[in-house]
Amino acid sequence: MIMCVLQLIGGPQKSAITIDYDLENPLLAKAIAAFGSLRIRLGGSLQDQVVYETSNLESQCTGFTKSSSGLFGFSQGCLSMERWDALNDLFLKTGAVVTFGLNALRGRHLVRKGKYSGAWNGTNARDFIKYTIEKDYPIDSWEFGNELSGSGVGASVAAYQYGKDIITLRTMLSELYENCKIKPLLVAPGGFYEQRWYAQLLQVSGVSAMDAVTHHIYNLGGGNDPHVASRILDPYYLDRISDTFRDLELTIQRHGQWTRAWVGEAGGAYNSGSPLISNSFLNSFWYLDQLGLAAKYKTAVYCRQSLIGGNYGLLDTETFIPNPDYYSALLWHQLMGSGVLSLDISGSPYLRAYAHCSKNKEGVTVLLLNLNRSTAFTVTVQNDINADIGEGFGIERDAFFLHGLKRTVLWIGSKASDGSEMREEYHLTAKDNYELSRIMLLNGAPLELIEGEIPTLNPVLVPVNSPIYVAPLSIVFVVFPNFEAKACNR
């Protein structure tokens, strides 16, 4: 699954990399470049009120202003080509992979509160895409609209009309990119999943019109909800979102097998996130757990809200210093490969586990999340990948922890049995054991900038057969070497 972050085009929190932020800040470039190929989605709440400063634009190119008659209380805003050029300089310099969200309300008219009708007017978008091609900017994918599906958020468009407009955009892209070696993807609709609406969209747009189906998730409630922290540490609550992943997977199987599921936006708590939680260590339990669940249900891309902006930014809005979730994202990106392995776990539901093929090397990486504030777990790994779990100091044996992994993975190499092989471990905890700390510890050392540089994330090496200790309220990535899995050799 590909790691992605969303950067808002505009909004009341001034979380607009395209409008406000200093693109020359060296820490911004370093934070993006550390991923090697971080996907950045440019879009968000005001995406469908953005026009592009092309030669045929009939109005002046001005920024967003507050307007009681506008969507979300803002007027139309304009993306200047000077700013677009500067953004692409940053993306080319850092190796970013770009998904750009197009205005899908252009040309429509409001028929009643929140409901828009009429065909999409793609003239301004066409000029903007043409400019982008002429400048040789490598846009990986164009996304059509933001949260206009189903009931919509602030605005909505019927699925039938949306599907027809997808066909229009696909035809436009085919014409504009006809002589280009690399063709961009078309993804949509970037909204909250409603089965009937999504199914009709796929049926109307037809075979191969869309390359990916995007949906948004904010399953922790509003940012001011007093239950956000307890939900993050409740395994039964975390599991509820599985229904959405499963239902979308079924919808794609039935109506759009040519597409793949993307999470186009997810921030845990909506309305800019929780002021004390979304930028803290605690939030990484929700974030990493949802990455694991999304991958399990064949999600190809997962976009985190946001890179900068609101309380849920991976980087601090003022200083650009990484928050704990930045390092969680970076570790996932560096360690967890695209192959997802079946992993059955029994015992305490507060120990969550996910297994993937290791990234760019042989082996298997297991992610363990201990949601319990007071109980530690000891995972004893045996040569055949069976494991025992001990809770606290009273060891309670459980022979089924990695039973599913045993059926998928075969240990290879003569060193495994004598214990001379070493494995990598990355233990994440909160500074001073304060779960709302904005400083994360890696193997006991604080993850902080070193002379303005993103720190290297180094593991500790331990004998491969030794027990794994998962401290209370901690996260552990374990990289097992020399495993052979059929799923990892495809």
Side-chain angles (χ1 to χ4, degrees):
M1 186 174 67
I2 297 173
M3 181 65 61
C4 169
V5 294
L6 166 67
Q7 190 51 56
L8 300 183
I9 283 180
Q13 290 77 33
K14 291 190 176 181
S15 49
I17 192 170
T18 52
I19 307 297
D20 299 307
Y21 285 117
D22 177 14
L23 303 183
E24 300 298 324
N25 186 305
L27 187 51
L28 175 60
K30 291 173 183 177
I32 297 172
F35 285 82
S37 57
L38 178 63
R39 179 180 295 273
I40 296 180
R41 174 197 164 215
L42 290 174
S45 298
L46 300 184
Q47 169 183 324
D48 296 302
Q49 289 175 261
V50 175
V51 294
Y52 318 110
E53 186 194 28
T54 60
S55 57
N56 295 322
L57 183 64
E58 297 176 351
S59 59
Q60 287 188 329
C61 189
T62 58
F64 294 104
T65 58
K66 291 186 176 181
S67 171
S68 59
S69 61
L71 191 62
F72 303 115
F74 281 83
S75 69
Q76 174 181 280
C78 179
L79 173 61
S80 73
M81 293 305 94
E82 179 182 4
R83 190 63 169 176
W84 183 229
D85 292 341
L87 279 162
N88 279 280
D89 286 344
L90 174 66
F91 299 150
L92 290 169
K93 179 172 63 176
T94 57
V97 177
V98 180
T99 296
F100 189 92
L102 293 169
N103 180 343
L105 278 183
R106 185 81 166 158
R108 307 188 199 277
H109 56 274
L110 184 65
V111 292
R112 60 182 184 275
K113 185 176 181 181
K115 304 294 183 182
Y116 284 77
S117 182
W120 175 59
N121 182 342
T123 303
N124 185 231
R126 184 186 185 95
D127 291 341
F128 174 59
I129 295 169
K130 184 179 179 183
Y131 175 89
T132 301
I133 295 171
E134 290 172 349
K135 297 289 285 189
D136 201 25
Y137 295 148
I139 305 303
D140 173 84
S141 43
W142 297 97
E143 184 172 31
F144 189 59
N146 181 79
E147 297 182 351
L148 302 175
S149 60
S151 303
V153 179
S156 66
V157 177
Y160 180 83
Q161 183 60 59
Y162 216 85
K164 291 295 185 183
D165 296 327
I166 289 287
I167 296 171
T168 299
L169 179 54
R170 169 57 75 187
T171 301
M172 179 192 299
L173 293 176
S174 296
E175 292 172 355
L176 291 172
Y177 282 90
E178 181 179 6
N179 298 319
C180 299
K181 292 182 179 179
I182 300 177
K183 316 293 185 183
L185 304 177
L186 193 169
V187 304
F192 292 95
Y193 174 71
E194 294 182 25
Q195 194 278 332
R196 292 181 63 182
W197 196 99
Y198 271 64
Q200 187 177 12
L201 176 69
L202 287 166
Q203 291 168 338
V204 173
S205 58
V207 177
S208 300
M210 288 190 298
D211 298 290
V213 178
T214 53
H215 68 116
H216 296 177
I217 297 175
Y218 288 90
N219 63 313
L220 295 179
N224 60 353
D225 193 312
H227 304 294
V228 170
S230 61
R231 288 170 180 163
I232 289 174
L233 298 180
D234 182 347
Y236 304 103
Y237 189 89
L238 295 177
D239 279 337
R240 291 183 191 178
I241 198 62
S242 297
D243 291 339
T244 298
F245 287 123
R246 185 184 301 108
D247 290 350
L248 178 57
E249 184 181 16
L250 288 172
T251 298
I252 289 174
Q253 288 174 0
R254 292 169 180 167
H255 305 289
Q257 294 185 17
W258 55 90
T259 66
R260 304 183 72 185
W262 288 18
V263 172
E265 181 178 327
Y270 55 86
N271 288 345
S272 293
S274 173
L276 296 177
I277 296 171
S278 295
N279 55 13
S280 75
F281 170 76
L282 181 64
N283 204 61
S284 281
F285 289 92
W286 159 79
Y287 185 27
L288 289 171
D289 187 77
Q290 194 159 108
L291 285 173
L293 281 174
K296 177 181 175 182
Y297 289 99
K298 301 178 182 178
T299 302
V301 172
Y302 185 103
C303 281
R304 166 63 185 267
Q305 164 86 298
S306 61
L307 178 60
I308 309 168
N311 298 301
Y312 39 37
L314 295 184
L315 306 179
D316 182 86
T317 302
E318 301 297 330
T319 66
F320 291 7
I321 292 173
N323 285 319
D325 278 0
Y326 173 87
Y327 295 110
S328 295
L330 188 55
L331 273 173
W332 176 283
H333 179 76
Q334 292 178 350
L335 301 178
M336 305 291 273
S338 58
V340 181
L341 303 176
S342 174
L343 183 60
D344 298 327
I345 181 170
S346 58
S348 173
Y350 289 87
L351 182 63
R352 313 274 282 185
Y354 300 95
H356 284 220
C357 306
S358 293
K359 185 89 170 273
N360 298 327
K361 62 181 178 181
E362 290 185 354
V364 169
T365 300
V366 175
L367 169 62
L368 302 168
L369 301 105
N370 184 354
L371 307 181
N372 197 300
R373 288 187 172 100
S374 59
T375 301
F377 295 93
T378 301
V379 181
T380 305
V381 182
Q382 301 172 359
N383 290 350
D384 62 358
I385 320 302
N386 275 321
D388 297 330
I389 293 182
E391 288 194 39
F393 298 98
I395 300 298
E396 179 178 342
R397 297 181 64 81
D398 182 346
F400 300 100
F401 173 57
L402 293 180
H403 184 64
L405 189 59
K406 179 185 176 184
R407 295 196 300 270
T408 311
V409 181
L410 174 67
W411 184 287
I412 62 173
S414 59
K415 293 184 178 180
S417 60
D418 62 17
S420 60
E421 189 78 43
M422 306 295 282
R423 68 170 185 253
E424 299 176 0
E425 292 187 1
Y426 302 78
H427 293 255
L428 302 176
T429 53
K431 184 178 180 181
D432 299 326
N433 293 318
Y434 177 51
E435 63 187 45
L436 299 184
S437 175
R438 294 186 64 180
I439 297 179
M440 174 185 278
L441 306 184
L442 172 59
N443 298 322
L447 287 171
E448 297 176 312
L449 299 177
I450 302 174
E451 297 182 353
E453 301 292 331
I454 303 295
T456 302
L457 306 182
N458 295 317
V460 291
L461 300 178
V462 299
V464 74
N465 289 335
S466 62
I468 304 168
Y469 179 74
V470 189
L473 213 60
S474 73
I475 300 165
V476 186
F477 287 89
V478 185
V479 182
F480 294 95
N482 296 334
F483 279 73
E484 185 179 76
K486 292 181 179 179
C488 302
N489 297 324
R490 293 173 183 172

